[in-house]
Amino acid sequence: MTEVGNSKAARPWFRVACLGVDQVVAWGVLYYSYSVLSTPLANAFNVSTRLIALAFSLSLAISGFLAAPVGRILDRRGARFILLLGAWIGPLAFGALALAPSVWSLFCIFGALGIVQALALYEPAFQAVVEWFPSHAERSRALLLLTCIAGFSSTVFLPLTAWLVERLGWRSTIVVLSLLLAFVLVPFRFKLPRDARHDLDRPEVRARRIEEPRVLGMLGGAFGLQSLASTGAMLYLTRHFLELGQPLARAAFFAGLAGAAQVPGRLFLSPLQRSARPEVRLPLLFIAQALSLAAIAAGPWPLVVVAILVFGATTGALTLEKAVVVLQWCGADNYGTHSGFVSVFALVARAAAPIAAEALQRTLGSFAKAFIVLAVGVAAGSVLVLAASKVRMGRDDGST
């Protein structure tokens, strides 16, 4: 009986590990492969990479706007329905890129990929974790495991996509990646439990949960500012270092440090979550990221290297922290709706980040000055978090 009980207890954790691999492939194909494919696409259709970037931004914007309605469906139908829908549509939409007859058809296909991103990436995966684990401590550990595994997506798929393009060409690469997406996502998601939902929060937890739209709006605005800054800075770190006179190889290496620091940042978050409440640790993470951006822009080189690592670590930690804070503040019931509402701000800001950072650079004359503005934006986000915390605590005090 003990062995059977241990086997049943291990199943959700095994599913989380498998879901992490699932997310490595989903993020790698549906998001990170764009970095490699954008130039071949632009060359094939004889257009600028900026036009291809606009198409990709369209997909990110559609994904952002769909976060709220998808969240409501997650609460009604469960994570399996959405994840499986994304697994069926994803390979077809991505594979269609290989058959695109014109650049304008690319916009339609990227629009479809935006729908797929809303169905296949973190939001429904986080909902699955919430459904599988009844206790908050287990959910936090499971979310950490999931995001740490998925954090290697760019590490795997950027070189893999480049290797495939060099040997097969971009059209065949898209076919291979779409087949990989289908072979990994469909079988795993089809085997997920049909309804893993349970009585998510005990009555005493429900009494304390926050459904104040003002709190969620401020939290969403904060993560929107942070997403705009972190995405924009991450995309243009290499160009910033080139502006400073660094050779390309060194500039790319330093920019890569930020991506490599994301997984350690998530691991560091676990002890921070145990020692500090969200009202304390979330503003600290925002302020740390704002200071790191300012140091990258203006600091001496030894400080810049440290700042890059802090920037990457806080970026990785805040991806996980958004899910955890929504869960702690709002409870597990209707988690999809609450998380989707907050995610709209972050995802739409992520879509606007490439254009916004480029515009700041052109207006101000350098990426260093643009990063200072982005740092101010993250600092403003910390103020919104503190305001949301104050409203939340005031509501708690008034209800006791």
Side-chain angles (χ1 to χ4, degrees):
M1 291 293 291
T2 303
E3 290 182 1
V4 173
N6 290 338
S7 176
K8 288 182 177 179
R11 286 176 190 171
W13 290 102
F14 178 73
R15 285 201 297 266
V16 171
C18 292
L19 185 59
V21 176
D22 170 290
Q23 289 293 291
V24 167
V25 177
W27 277 96
V29 174
L30 298 173
Y31 186 83
Y32 288 109
S33 66
Y34 161 79
S35 298
V36 178
L37 293 171
S38 60
T39 298
L41 284 170
N43 293 337
F45 293 101
N46 196 28
V47 296
S48 69
T49 54
R50 290 179 184 173
L51 190 62
I52 303 299
L54 184 61
F56 186 62
S57 292
L58 172 66
S59 72
L60 297 178
I62 290 174
S63 174
F65 285 120
L66 288 177
V70 167
R72 291 191 290 269
I73 297 172
L74 283 168
D75 286 328
R76 291 198 301 268
R77 300 292 299 271
R80 181 183 184 273
F81 172 76
I82 291 294
L83 285 169
L84 190 54
L85 187 60
W88 285 117
I89 300 174
L92 297 175
F94 188 80
L97 284 173
L99 304 175
S102 67
V103 67
W104 301 114
S105 65
L106 285 178
F107 279 83
C108 297
I109 296 170
F110 272 106
L113 286 173
I115 298 173
V116 173
Q117 289 167 357
L119 300 174
L121 299 180
Y122 269 153
E123 294 308 314
F126 289 163
Q127 175 74 19
V129 169
V130 170
E131 293 175 3
W132 295 343
F133 294 91
S135 76
H136 170 70
E138 287 183 325
R139 288 170 187 154
S140 296
R141 290 196 297 271
L143 288 169
L144 174 63
L145 175 61
L146 171 65
T147 53
C148 283
I149 295 173
F152 291 100
S153 182
S154 62
T155 307
V156 174
F157 273 86
L158 288 177
L160 174 62
T161 306
W163 183 83
L164 288 170
V165 168
E166 288 177 353
R167 284 155 180 79
L168 303 177
W170 69 271
R171 291 187 189 272
S172 296
T173 295
I174 288 171
V175 172
V176 171
L177 292 178
S178 63
L179 289 173
L180 178 62
L181 192 68
F183 288 149
V184 173
L185 268 61
V186 174
F188 167 68
R189 296 183 180 190
F190 186 78
K191 292 181 180 179
L192 292 177
R194 292 189 176 274
D195 194 351
R197 290 173 292 176
H198 43 73
D199 190 17
L200 294 173
D201 275 339
R202 301 183 305 277
E204 63 269 23
V205 177
R206 291 192 188 111
R208 295 196 304 270
R209 71 184 182 187
I210 302 302
E211 294 184 356
E212 173 69 61
R214 191 163 42 139
V215 172
L216 291 175
M218 286 187 286
L219 191 62
F223 275 106
L225 289 169
Q226 183 271 330
S227 180
L228 180 72
S230 62
T231 304
M234 192 74 77
L235 287 173
Y236 291 110
L237 271 177
T238 300
R239 285 178 59 183
H240 166 62
F241 294 135
L242 290 174
E243 278 187 350
L244 296 179
Q246 297 298 319
L248 178 59
R250 189 177 184 186
F253 171 76
F254 283 126
L257 288 178
Q262 291 193 48
V263 171
R266 289 166 185 165
L267 293 172
F268 169 76
L269 182 63
S270 184
L272 183 62
Q273 287 174 337
R274 291 193 296 270
S275 60
R277 296 177 301 170
E279 295 82 1
V280 175
R281 68 175 185 264
L282 191 53
L284 285 177
L285 287 170
F286 271 72
I287 292 169
Q289 183 158 96
L291 292 174
S292 69
L293 279 171
I296 289 171
W301 271 105
L303 179 60
V304 167
V305 175
V306 175
I308 292 169
L309 294 173
V310 173
F311 170 69
T314 53
T315 299
L318 285 166
T319 300
L320 174 59
E321 183 70 348
K322 179 168 70 69
V324 172
V325 169
V326 171
L327 188 59
Q328 288 184 334
W329 282 11
C330 302
D333 292 321
N334 297 319
Y335 171 78
T337 300
H338 297 138
S339 178
F341 181 82
V342 172
S343 295
V344 167
F345 295 86
L347 294 174
V348 172
R350 186 178 71 183
I355 300 170
E358 186 86 36
L360 282 172
Q361 189 272 345
R362 290 185 181 182
T363 302
L364 300 174
S366 71
F367 279 111
K369 293 178 181 178
F371 283 9
I372 294 292
V373 174
L374 294 177
V376 172
V378 179
S382 70
V383 175
L384 282 176
V385 171
L386 290 170
S389 302
K390 185 175 181 179
V391 171
R392 176 179 179 268
M393 289 186 288
R395 184 180 183 275
D396 282 346
D397 292 342
S399 61
T400 56

